[in-house]
Amino acid sequence: MPIEIVGLGQDRVRFVWDEGHEGTYPARELRLACRCAHCVDEMTGAPVLDPDSVPADVRVATMELVGNYGVQIKFSDGHATGIYRFADLIARCPCSACRTPTV
């Protein structure tokens, strides 16, 4: 679970994880990664969301913790049904330390 989440009204969300590790995620990328039933077919897992329908300047309108496992984000385009699990976010952390392959 992150110790801090910053991003209201912004075009990106910064998660500060334990021990100071932090990752900043563009709001549009989070919006496009939504796995709710409005964005992904529940039976096939195929994307239903047309990426062209998501504005390039989409922002975070509100955020709400969901238990101890995720955050629900409402975006400026009105979409608010996706839950972003912390385990998934940390697994695809965009920081340079996480993107650098280890040998």
Side-chain angles (χ1 to χ4, degrees):
M1 184 164 171
I3 56 175
E4 183 178 35
I5 305 172
V6 179
L8 290 178
Q10 298 178 26
D11 64 352
R12 48 192 68 256
V13 181
R14 182 172 55 93
F15 291 86
V16 178
W17 306 99
D18 292 337
E19 299 175 9
H21 183 142
E22 59 183 76
T24 301
Y25 304 75
R28 188 167 193 276
E29 286 183 21
L30 288 173
R31 174 66 182 90
L32 292 173
C34 182
R35 304 292 299 161
C36 80
H38 295 285
C39 297
V40 176
D41 185 282
E42 291 180 87
M43 300 303 283
T44 67
V48 176
L49 174 66
D50 176 7
D52 292 335
S53 70
V54 178
D57 63 348
V58 71
R59 295 184 172 277
V60 174
T62 64
M63 291 186 285
E64 184 175 330
L65 291 176
V66 178
N68 287 326
Y69 70 91
V71 62
Q72 186 169 31
I73 301 173
K74 180 177 182 183
F75 295 93
S76 58
D77 68 351
H79 187 73
T81 55
I83 295 174
Y84 298 85
R85 292 174 5 113
F86 298 136
D88 295 337
L89 290 167
I90 195 77
R92 60 186 191 112
C93 180
C95 80
S96 59
C98 290
R99 287 189 319 228
T100 304
T102 57
V103 184

